[in-house]
Amino acid sequence: MKIFNRHRERHRTDRIGWLRAAVLGANDGIVSTASLVLGVAAAGADSHGILVAGVAGLMAGAMSMAAGEYVSVHSQADTEKAELERERLELELHPDAEHAELTAIYVARGLSSELAHQVAEELMKHDALGSHVRDELGISDTLGARPVQAALASAASFAVGAALPLAVTVWAPAQGLSGWVGATSLLFLALLGALAARAGGAGVLKGTWRVTFWGALAMGVTAGVGALFGTVA
């Protein structure tokens, strides 16, 4: 009696939607709030003013991220829905042409004409619309647009990311506030890049470097602008 070991594969494509929104939100939360704190501090504001500006930035940013993600992803969902309706109509009006189209797709992927014709026929008998949506349009349940999920993930991750430099702002000494916020924010960004790369199965060092570099650039530019306007004022 043969014993077959079940082959298990772990893919991460089901994480693409929420992972993208979460990483984007957390990265924006850390960078924008830290940049805001550094810019206001460089302009000469006191600790209370810096904290108020940071909290306001957290609230405004979280709401903006949620609204922006919902609108943009909902637009994608509307487009997908329209494509589904168009494909459904094409299958009703021109089934033979749609069968030929699906056959051509499988031939282009390497199947012989006879086998591609048979595969297309069998799949269309089982689920014609699903076959065309998946193989012709590239739309799947795994990668489909989820506006509410993206909006909530972005808002929550932005708030969490923004809370990190704000916490440093509260506890760091006023004398070295900018240094503390800048250094710890870079550390937070490095950890975020590493975690995101790990969750997505990408290179950890590359992900860490990319997130940290662009965050440092954004904070440096903002601090420079704040110092310039503070000096002018």
Side-chain angles (χ1 to χ4, degrees), residues 141-163:
D141 292 336
T142 301
L143 302 179
R146 295 178 174 85
V148 175
Q149 182 189 63
L152 293 177
S154 293
S157 58
F158 183 96
V160 171

Side-chain angles (χ1 to χ4, degrees), residues 19-224:
L19 181 60
R20 181 193 66 84
V23 171
L24 178 63
N27 182 79
D28 279 1
I30 296 172
V31 173
S32 63
T33 305
S35 298
L36 181 61
V37 168
L38 291 175
V40 174
D46 58 15
S47 299
H48 178 72
I50 295 172
L51 183 60
V52 169
V55 172
L58 184 155
M59 296 302 296
M63 295 301 100
S64 177
M65 287 291 295
E69 275 296 314
Y70 183 83
V71 170
S72 63
V73 178
H74 210 295
S75 296
Q76 177 186 341
D78 290 342
T79 301
E80 291 178 356
K81 184 177 180 180
E83 289 296 319
L84 289 175
E85 292 301 324
R86 185 178 294 110
E87 196 63 32
R88 183 180 289 108
L89 181 61
E90 289 292 329
L91 285 168
E92 292 178 359
L93 298 178
H94 311 290
D96 293 337
E98 289 298 309
H99 180 274
E101 190 173 29
L102 197 60
T103 299
I105 291 174
Y106 297 142
V107 170
R109 292 180 180 177
L111 298 183
S112 66
S113 298
E114 296 76 11
L115 182 57
H117 184 278
Q118 182 181 356
V119 170
E121 184 175 0
E122 292 295 325
L123 288 176
M124 289 185 68
K125 286 180 181 179
H126 174 69
D127 182 8
L129 180 60
S131 300
H132 280 270
V133 167
R134 179 180 61 253
D135 294 320
E136 181 183 346
L137 303 180
I139 300 175
S140 66
D141 292 336
T142 301
L143 302 179
R146 295 178 174 85
V148 175
Q149 182 189 63
L152 293 177
S154 293
S157 58
F158 183 96
V160 171
L164 297 175
L166 274 182
V168 176
T169 302
V170 172
W171 293 106
Q175 184 65 29
L177 179 61
S178 295
W180 277 95
V181 172
T184 55
S185 294
L186 290 178
L187 176 61
F188 297 147
L189 287 170
L191 291 175
L192 173 64
L195 289 174
R198 178 84 177 184
V204 174
L205 290 178
K206 185 176 181 180
T208 302
W209 165 250
R210 180 172 57 242
V211 173
T212 307
F213 172 77
W214 289 107
L217 181 62
M219 288 188 291
V221 170
T222 308

